[in-house]
Amino acid sequence: MKKTDFKKSLKHLYAPPADDFVEVDVVPMSFVKVDGAGDPNVADAYQLAVKSLYGVGYAMKFSAKAVLGRDYVVPPLEWLWWAADPNVFVKCQKEQWQWTMMLMVPDFVKRDMFDAGVAKTRAKLGALPDSLRFELFDEGRCLQIMHIGSYDSEGPTLARLHDQIMPERGLIFNGPHHEIYLSDPRRTLPQKLKTILRQPVRPLDGV
């Protein structure tokens, strides 16, 4: 059975350059999502969110393989981040962050598989986050870059995006800051971590 790897089939979304921001048009995709707030290093909701997402995500993968005969590599963990002031990301003021953690799900995986995955995961973990859900995410026009290094060293790159790149191109924010984590921080040195930094944008003049 052929196993689809979306990092390869959607390479333009998962392999941006590391030297400059590039523009991409992100098609609508389905995700399993969980909401949270605060510094993920200390927030109580973080560990349960991770366990819930991966529990449901792998249950859906195995269901698709058994029922549909279609297998795929579970995509990397993604996070949406936002705050009243975008500069809190440049300054790494994590206690002020709001977030949505999510896993992408192929379009051939349907809601009944999500519901079954939730039931299986609840049986293993007990209570699951109230915000756990399965929904379409339409991000559209974005700028993105590959950040290589620790998560806490993203500030200068984000400052350049906010203060230089977007104004030069006549663009403004059109959604939360988005990160895609290609490396496992448990097995990768901080200076070698690969993270996609993505920002939805729209023209300043609204055209």
Side-chain angles (χ1 to χ4, degrees):
M1 184 184 301
K2 184 178 180 180
K3 182 183 293 188
T4 302
D5 186 342
F6 294 98
K7 294 192 302 298
K8 296 178 180 178
S9 61
L10 297 174
K11 190 174 181 179
H12 66 293
L13 298 181
Y14 289 99
D19 59 346
D20 198 8
F21 283 89
V22 294
E23 186 170 315
V24 292
D25 185 17
V26 184
V27 299
M29 294 185 286
S30 294
F31 287 85
V32 179
K33 298 180 177 180
V34 175
D35 299 329
D39 184 345
N41 296 312
V42 298
D44 293 336
Y46 169 74
Q47 290 296 335
L48 181 58
V50 172
K51 292 177 181 178
S52 300
L53 278 187
Y54 277 112
V56 174
Y58 273 96
M60 297 170 79
K61 164 189 165 69
F62 296 143
S63 180
K65 185 176 181 179
V67 176
L68 304 176
R70 302 184 71 170
D71 195 10
Y72 62 95
V73 177
V74 173
L77 187 67
E78 307 189 28
W79 252 343
L80 304 179
W81 302 92
W82 69 96
D85 179 3
N87 284 322
V88 303
F89 299 106
V90 175
K91 298 175 182 177
C92 207
Q93 296 172 328
K94 299 180 181 180
E95 71 281 357
Q96 299 183 45
W97 296 358
Q98 303 288 320
W99 48 263
T100 295
M101 188 187 300
M102 56 192 197
L103 279 178
M104 193 268 275
V105 180
D107 57 6
F108 54 80
V109 177
K110 303 304 181 184
R111 181 163 296 277
D112 60 335
M113 296 180 179
F114 168 75
D115 293 337
V118 169
K120 289 181 180 179
T121 305
R122 182 177 288 115
K124 293 179 180 179
L125 299 180
L128 299 178
D130 292 338
S131 62
L132 181 65
R133 62 196 185 278
F134 179 53
E135 65 182 17
L136 194 69
F137 182 43
D138 186 0
E139 203 163 23
R141 185 181 184 183
C142 297
L143 295 176
Q144 64 178 29
I145 195 171
M146 182 73 74
H147 174 75
I148 301 176
S150 70
Y151 305 134
D152 289 344
S153 68
E154 296 172 5
T157 301
L158 294 176
R160 182 163 66 94
L161 172 66
H162 300 170
D163 301 334
Q164 178 184 341
I165 302 296
M166 290 171 61
E168 286 179 351
R169 302 187 189 184
L171 301 171
I172 58 174
F173 296 98
N174 194 36
H177 171 65
H178 187 169
E179 298 191 356
I180 304 174
Y181 304 98
L182 303 181
S183 305
D184 185 341
R186 299 169 300 178
R187 299 181 174 88
T188 307
L189 293 173
Q191 64 268 29
K192 294 185 177 181
L193 291 169
K194 291 184 177 181
T195 308
I196 298 171
L197 308 182
R198 179 183 292 170
Q199 179 58 57
V201 293
R202 61 180 176 86
L204 179 61
D205 58 11
V207 177

